[in-house]
Amino acid sequence: MECQNCHQRQATVHLTQVINGQKTEIHVCEQCAKDKGYMSYGEENFTLNDLLSGLFHTESPSTFSNKSTQPYKKSTQLKCPTCGLTYQEFARTGKFGCATCYQTFDEKLNPILRRVHSGNTTHDGKIPKREGGNLHMKRELDDYKSKLRQLIEQEEFEEAAKVRDKIKSLQSQLHEGEDGEQ
Amino acid sequence: MSLQQFMNEAISPWMKQEGPDSDIVMSSRIRLARNFSQHPFPTVASEETLEKILEFFNEEFKRQSFRDYDNFELVKMKELQPVEKRVLVEKHLISPHLAEKSDQSATLISQNEQVSVMVNEEDHIRIQLYFPGFQLDRALEQASQLDDWLEEKIDYAFDEKRGYLTACPTNVGTGMRASVMMHLPALSMTQQINRMTPAINQLGLVVRGIYGEGSEAVGNIYQISNQITLGKSEQDIVEDLHSVVKQLIDQERKARDALMNRSGIQLEDRIFRSYGVLKHSRIIESKEAAKCLSDLRLGIDLGFIDHIPKTILNELMILTQPGFLQQYAKTTLSPDERDIRRASLIRERLQLENEE
Ligand SMILES: [Zn+2]
Ligand SMILES: [Zn+2]
C-alpha cells in the first residue's frame, strides 16, 4: 500500500481517526505521519504527576497499529481538529480542550469513563431542550418499545396495538426530522 | 456598591433562614457545569474567546433576570484585591480555582447570595445554588430551572452519548455535583464516621472534611457529595445522596442521645469549657476555634446553651478565617496577629449575644 499523502513511499503507519463520529482510515508513511502530527517519537515517557492522569496512562494507544518491521516503538498522536489538543496532552493534563475532543478521543474514552464513573460510559440524565435535538423523542420511543414488549408478554394485545401505533408515528416523526436536517 | 455587601457580612442572607434538619445539615448545594458548544473550554481558550464569553454574561444579565434572583451582580476577578477574592472563597461564593484565574473570569452573585454563576472557571459556566438545611430536591429543581433559562440563550456543549460535555471527564454527563454540608460532632467523637465512610464510598458518594480532600474535618463539618456524574439521572443521584444523608442524620442523633445517656456530665463539661475558651481567650488558633465552635453549636442543639443562635457556627467559622480577619482589620496580618484578632472578634461576637 502506498502512502496516501506523498504517494511515494510505502504506507507503514495505519491508524483510525474519529472526527465528528466519522471514522477515517489513514495510511501514511512514517515521514508523513511525523510531518502531519499523527505520530511523534519518544512521547511515551510523559510524566504523570497527578492521580487523574494516571488513569489515562493505563490505556495504551490501541487505534494505532504499526506494521513496520523496525525495532523501536512509536506512538501516534491523535489530535483534535477543532482545538488542536493531542491525546498525549489530554493524558498529561486530564482535561479536554473543547466539545469536539470527546469525538476525537472517543475510542479511548470508555475505559477512562468506566473507571471514573463506576462502570458507566453513557449519559442517562437531563437533555437540554434545544441542543438535545430529537433525543427527547428517542427516549420516549425507547420507553414505548419496552412498554410494548411488556404488554405483549401480558397478552394485552388491544393496548399493545395502540402503543405500536404511537411507536410508528414517533418513528416517522423522527425520520422526517432527520431528513429535514440533511 | 454591592461588592461591599458581599465583603462585609460573614454569613450570606440565605444562611440566616433555618431549613429542615438544620440541627445537623447546615446547607445543601447543587452545582452544574456547562459549556458553550462553539467555544474551546477555558482550559485552552484564548483571552479573546474568554473575553467574548464574559461580555455575553455582562450584557445578558443586564437585560434580563431570573425569577426572584434579580439584580445579579457581576464581579470580575481582575477587579478584586487578593483579600477580597479570599473573602469570596471563604463565603463559598467562588471556588479557589476561580480566584486563581483572574483574567476574564467572573462570578454573578444574586442579592441574597444563594445563587452564583461562575464564568470561565474550569468550564465556561458553573451554576451554583445553595439552600439552608436539608433541601437537595428544592435546590435541584431551582438549579435546573436556572439551567433551562440559560439554555434559551446559550448553545450548550451536549452529546447524545456523553451528555453535558465538560473540561474534566470527572464531570461529564449530568455535569452535576450535589453536596450536603453536615455537622457531625457525635459521629466524629465516637469515631463512627470513619467506619461509615467506606460504605458511603461504595455508593459512589464521597465524604470529605470541610477543607477539602483528605484533610481531617475542621469543626466536625463534613461534605457529602456524588462522585459519579455519568450513567445516572440527576434525580437518581440526588435520591442516593438523600438516603445516605438521612441515615447519617439518624445515626448522628442516636450517637448524641447515647453520649448524653452514657456521659452527659462529661459532654456538658466539654461544651462549657469550649464556651469558656471562646468567651475568654486572648489568642486562639483557627483549629482550636473550630473545635470550640463545634462544641458550642452542639451545646445549642442539645439545649445546654439557649441564648445564642445556631447560625453562630456558620458565621464564626467564616468570620475567623484569614481573609475575613484581614478584611475586617483592613490590613495584612501575620499568623500571630490573626490569632489575637480571631480571639477578640469571637469575644466581641459572643458579648453581643449576651447583651441582647
Ligand atoms: Zn508519505
Ligand atoms: Zn478539542
Side-chain angles (χ1 to χ4, degrees):
Chain A
M1 190 185 288
E2 69 168 31
C3 168
Q4 64 186 53
N5 190 54
C6 63
H7 301 286
Q8 284 172 8
R9 291 174 288 263
Q10 238 212 311
T12 51
V13 176
H14 311 274
L15 51 104
T16 313
Q17 228 179 15
V18 183
I19 297 164
N20 298 324
Q22 289 259 288
K23 257 190 204 178
T24 320
E25 301 277 345
I26 297 164
H27 309 280
V28 285
C29 67
E30 266 180 46
Q31 190 56 49
C32 291
K34 256 175 90 178
D35 293 346
K36 288 243 153 202
Y38 294 133
M39 180 175 123
S40 60
Y41 298 103
E43 286 230 20
E44 296 95 331
N45 302 324
F46 49 82
T47 49
L48 298 170
N49 36 18
D50 77 78
L51 183 74
L52 188 64
S53 65
L55 293 174
F56 306 104
H57 192 51
T58 52
E59 217 253 325
S60 60
S62 58
T63 48
F64 165 64
S65 69
N66 179 20
K67 301 209 175 80
S68 146
T69 50
Q70 281 167 1
Y72 53 86
K73 206 182 156 220
K74 302 167 208 77
S75 76
T76 54
Q77 262 198 338
L78 266 182
K79 192 171 181 178
C80 177
T82 305
C83 72
L85 191 83
T86 63
Y87 185 75
Q88 270 80 6
E89 283 168 326
F90 166 65
R92 187 168 46 78
T93 61
K95 302 282 153 68
F96 294 107
C98 73
T100 318
C101 285
Y102 277 91
Q103 285 149 5
T104 313
F105 308 135
D106 187 63
E107 295 205 337
K108 290 164 180 283
L109 289 185
N110 281 350
I112 296 162
L113 294 174
R114 236 179 253 129
R115 223 168 261 132
V116 180
H117 299 285
S118 293
N120 300 324
T121 57
T122 51
H123 180 56
D124 196 23
K126 186 175 176 177
I127 303 164
K129 286 190 185 67
R130 290 184 306 110
E131 295 300 304
N134 51 27
L135 201 51
H136 287 282
M137 248 191 264
K138 283 184 188 164
R139 282 246 177 114
E140 207 180 339
L141 194 61
D142 285 343
D143 289 346
Y144 277 130
K145 279 180 181 167
S146 63
K147 198 173 174 190
L148 181 64
R149 271 194 297 274
Q150 215 181 334
L151 288 169
I152 290 171
E153 267 171 36
Q154 292 162 352
E155 303 190 354
E156 290 180 38
F157 298 115
E158 226 170 287
E159 204 44 41
K162 282 183 206 163
V163 173
R164 186 203 53 208
D165 291 344
K166 275 183 191 155
I167 291 173
K168 272 189 187 159
S169 100
L170 264 177
Q171 269 169 338
S172 67
Q173 271 180 6
L174 264 172
H175 286 309
E176 272 168 36
E178 269 161 20
D179 293 344
E181 273 168 28
Q182 280 158 7
Chain B
M1 146 140 206
S2 223
L3 175 65
Q4 213 45 52
Q5 172 210 323
F6 304 138
M7 309 302 296
N8 288 343
E9 292 277 327
I11 62 168
S12 302
W14 66 265
M15 277 188 191
K16 290 175 186 158
Q17 304 157 15
E18 265 193 29
D21 300 304
S22 63
D23 55 332
I24 291 163
V25 181
M26 301 171 75
S27 63
S28 307
R29 186 199 71 165
I30 295 285
R31 194 210 70 197
L32 300 175
R34 299 289 186 254
N35 284 286
F36 286 78
S37 65
Q38 73 272 33
H39 296 304
F41 300 152
T43 42
V44 302
S46 66
E47 284 289 301
E48 287 82 7
T49 303
L50 297 175
E51 200 179 327
K52 227 189 279 170
I53 291 163
L54 185 58
E55 204 34 50
F56 170 86
F57 275 92
N58 202 7
E59 289 303 313
E60 273 312 305
F61 277 78
K62 242 180 236 160
R63 287 196 290 118
Q64 328 184 25
S65 62
F66 173 70
R67 312 210 151 182
D68 339 332
Y69 307 112
D70 50 353
N71 306 322
F72 269 98
E73 180 80 18
L74 183 84
V75 181
K76 291 182 182 173
M77 289 306 112
K78 63 180 166 198
E79 289 167 7
L80 295 182
Q81 299 297 315
V83 65
E84 292 173 320
K85 282 188 215 168
R86 191 144 190 184
V87 167
L88 295 182
V89 171
E90 289 169 4
K91 290 186 83 169
H92 303 286
L93 287 170
I94 61 171
S95 63
H97 185 71
L98 192 80
E100 280 166 28
K101 300 191 53 173
S102 42
D103 296 333
Q104 317 306 345
S105 294
T107 184
L108 288 142
I109 309 175
S110 71
Q111 275 304 307
N112 67 353
E113 302 177 22
Q114 196 172 358
V115 186
S116 57
V117 179
M118 287 184 260
V119 181
N120 293 333
E121 210 241 24
E122 184 180 283
D123 295 298
H124 293 136
I125 307 163
R126 290 270 175 105
I127 301 165
Q128 196 176 261
L129 208 136
Y130 282 96
F131 268 90
F134 191 22
Q135 305 190 69
L136 268 182
D137 300 340
R138 270 187 81 190
L140 174 60
E141 196 189 305
Q142 291 256 324
S144 191
Q145 283 168 6
L146 179 53
D147 179 41
D148 292 343
W149 182 72
L150 282 175
E151 198 229 323
E152 287 169 14
K153 309 166 225 318
I154 298 167
D155 293 334
Y156 278 160
F158 181 85
D159 178 80
E160 215 172 281
K161 193 160 75 167
R162 312 292 193 194
Y164 292 93
L165 305 178
T166 52
C168 187
T170 55
N171 294 317
V172 73
T174 59
M176 183 183 78
R177 203 66 67 183
S179 60
V180 170
M181 197 92 88
M182 305 183 79
H183 183 225
L184 303 172
L187 288 180
S188 312
M189 274 181 230
T190 55
Q191 307 288 318
Q192 288 179 75
I193 187 73
N194 296 334
R195 271 179 272 136
M196 296 166 87
T197 307
I200 296 171
N201 291 344
Q202 284 197 324
L203 293 168
L205 306 174
V206 240
V207 183
R208 285 199 190 100
I210 186 185
Y211 289 111
E213 279 134 288
S215 75
E216 61 181 298
V218 178
N220 299 320
I221 299 171
Y222 295 85
Q223 190 192 55
I224 327 290
S225 56
N226 64 303
Q227 180 94 299
I228 296 166
T229 56
L230 192 63
K232 277 187 183 184
S233 73
E234 289 81 356
Q235 285 75 14
D236 287 344
I237 292 168
V238 163
E239 244 167 64
D240 287 351
L241 196 56
H242 200 277
S243 69
V244 164
V245 170
K246 204 86 204 142
Q247 286 181 51
L248 282 169
I249 292 172
D250 286 347
Q251 296 300 318
E252 170 67 20
R253 289 204 179 120
K254 274 186 194 143
R256 287 183 188 186
D257 285 348
L259 277 174
M260 280 291 275
N261 290 333
R262 231 185 304 125
S263 38
I265 185 72
Q266 284 85 352
L267 195 60
E268 190 177 349
D269 180 67
R270 175 183 166 140
I271 287 162
F272 279 99
R273 273 172 190 275
S274 288
Y275 187 28
V277 167
L278 292 171
K279 251 165 94 174
H280 299 293
S281 65
R282 263 48 184 174
I283 300 169
I284 193 165
E285 278 182 31
S286 62
K287 220 171 161 181
E288 188 183 12
K291 183 217 160 262
C292 292
L293 284 166
S294 169
D295 287 343
L296 179 60
R297 175 161 168 148
L298 181 63
I300 297 166
D301 288 337
L302 294 175
F304 287 120
I305 293 161
D306 58 8
H307 60 282
I308 295 175
K310 200 177 293 180
T311 47
I312 196 97
L313 174 74
N314 315 28
E315 187 182 351
L316 285 176
M317 284 290 286
I318 295 169
L319 204 55
T320 55
Q321 286 180 70
F324 251 111
L325 286 175
Q326 298 183 74
Q327 162 73 12
Y328 194 67
K330 303 256 177 283
T331 173
T332 337
L333 301 170
S334 71
D336 289 346
E337 287 170 326
R338 273 186 240 152
D339 293 346
I340 296 168
R341 213 19 109 139
R342 183 178 295 113
S344 80
L345 200 143
I346 291 171
R347 286 202 317 275
E348 269 173 47
R349 180 66 188 79
L350 292 176
Q351 186 59 37
L352 215 67
E353 288 302 330
N354 281 340
E355 280 166 6
E356 270 166 15

